[in-house]
Amino acid sequence: MRVFYLLLFVFFAKGSFAQKAFLFPKLKSQGSSIEQLTPSHWTLIENASGDLNNDGLEDLAVVFESDKITDETRTYGDNNSDIIKETQKPRILAVFFKDRESNNYRLSVQNNDFILRSEEGGKLGDPLNQIAIKDQQLYLRFKGGSEWRWELGYTFKYENKDWFLTSAINLYFNQNTGDMTERVYDFKTRELFTTVGNLHRRDIANRKTSEVLYFSQLRTFKTFKKPWAWEILPNVYL
């Protein structure tokens, strides 16, 4: 009987271990170089530099990817439903401000969810297209699909000690026919500009409209979990 209970304990222990959620590392709060800031068993895959907080210094935005493949539960749809498990390499987005006195980089934000993974781009492969810093704003660009393709762009700005989504663009088009829908969001002015028509004949075939965006507060990295997770209009996900 004692052997039976021992085997039962080992069985459940193995099951609990197998179901243990992936734990993201907590990034260093500061460092003098990207090498110092890169966590163990992770690799730098993208980076950009530029002034993000209007102090005249070159700040740093980076994307780290885990060296190990693991199971991740990723959210699609409205942040609550359409949750699926994917097997891939997790990614981290981090922004560091340059400190004038120490000349070190100091961590401003670590986000473990927003950057799409390498397996989330469909037949086009890795969807991470660009990370850039321009006009004191952080730009993130993604693309993917197959015959029907999509492009997503998000612009975040550091204000009042937080990172706010200020604008976005969502382009959906057929690579063969050119049929497309493009939505450009300006969250500062609460405007949405929509273009429906043809990608190859923009001047003569497209219909442009504008409308007011209704939302309570500007989204941040904390309140906008990841691409495709905000139903900003009925059946329209950003």
Side-chain angles (χ1 to χ4, degrees):
M1 182 64 68
R2 184 178 300 176
V3 174
F4 170 78
Y5 282 116
L6 178 60
L7 292 174
L8 193 64
F9 172 80
V10 171
F11 173 80
F12 281 109
K14 285 185 177 180
S16 299
F17 179 78
Q19 297 175 8
K20 187 176 181 181
F22 177 82
L23 296 178
F24 284 85
K26 184 177 180 180
L27 299 181
K28 293 180 179 179
S29 60
Q30 61 177 312
S32 60
S33 66
I34 293 180
E35 291 74 21
Q36 285 190 4
L37 299 169
T38 303
S40 299
H41 308 299
W42 288 73
T43 300
L44 174 76
I45 60 171
E46 291 288 344
N47 70 281
S49 60
D51 186 7
L52 283 166
N53 55 352
N54 198 27
D55 63 358
L57 300 177
E58 292 281 294
D59 304 312
L60 184 65
V62 299
V63 175
F64 298 122
E65 183 178 73
S66 173
D67 295 340
K68 298 180 180 179
I69 296 174
T70 189
D71 289 335
E72 274 196 292
T73 301
R74 298 283 281 166
T75 301
Y76 291 88
D78 59 6
N79 260 348
N80 296 307
S81 61
D82 296 329
I83 298 176
I84 64 174
K85 179 182 287 187
E86 296 181 336
T87 302
Q88 55 200 352
K89 294 182 178 181
R91 289 175 170 177
I92 295 174
L93 169 68
V95 179
F96 298 88
F97 289 147
K98 189 79 168 183
D99 182 74
R100 191 179 301 276
E101 294 184 0
S102 66
N103 206 37
N104 283 341
Y105 293 106
R106 296 185 180 275
L107 181 64
S108 171
V109 64
Q110 173 181 346
N111 183 284
N112 302 331
D113 298 303
F114 200 83
I115 299 297
L116 293 179
R117 310 331 193 199
S118 63
E119 303 303 311
E120 295 178 329
K123 291 185 177 180
L124 287 185
D126 193 337
L128 180 56
N129 186 39
Q130 182 188 38
I131 175 173
I133 296 173
K134 183 181 179 182
D135 299 327
Q136 296 173 9
Q137 298 181 101
L138 176 64
Y139 292 80
L140 302 172
R141 299 291 183 263
F142 307 95
K143 64 180 180 179
S146 53
E147 179 182 351
W148 280 96
R149 299 187 178 186
W150 50 263
E151 295 182 8
L152 294 169
Y154 305 91
T155 303
F156 287 86
K157 187 173 180 60
Y158 184 74
E159 295 178 325
N160 300 319
K161 299 182 179 181
D162 206 347
W163 289 92
F164 293 94
L165 180 69
T166 57
S167 64
I169 183 171
N170 185 347
L171 173 63
Y172 184 62
F173 66 96
N174 186 294
Q175 67 162 340
N176 296 320
T177 66
D179 293 339
M180 68 134 188
T181 299
E182 180 184 61
R183 294 183 175 92
V184 178
Y185 303 84
D186 188 329
F187 296 106
K188 287 290 190 177
T189 62
R190 293 176 178 262
E191 291 179 287
L192 167 59
F193 304 93
T194 302
T195 302
V196 178
N198 194 282
L199 192 66
H200 308 313
R201 296 179 293 159
R202 284 178 175 266
D203 295 335
I204 61 174
N206 294 346
R207 179 173 56 87
K208 299 180 180 180
T209 59
S210 63
E211 59 188 293
V212 177
L213 284 173
Y214 294 96
F215 55 89
S216 57
Q217 293 180 327
L218 290 174
R219 295 294 179 105
T220 68
F221 280 126
K222 294 179 181 179
T223 58
F224 185 12
K225 192 172 182 65
K226 63 178 288 294
W228 306 121
W230 181 6
E231 189 177 12
I232 191 168
L233 295 170
N235 298 315
V236 176
Y237 293 90
L238 181 60

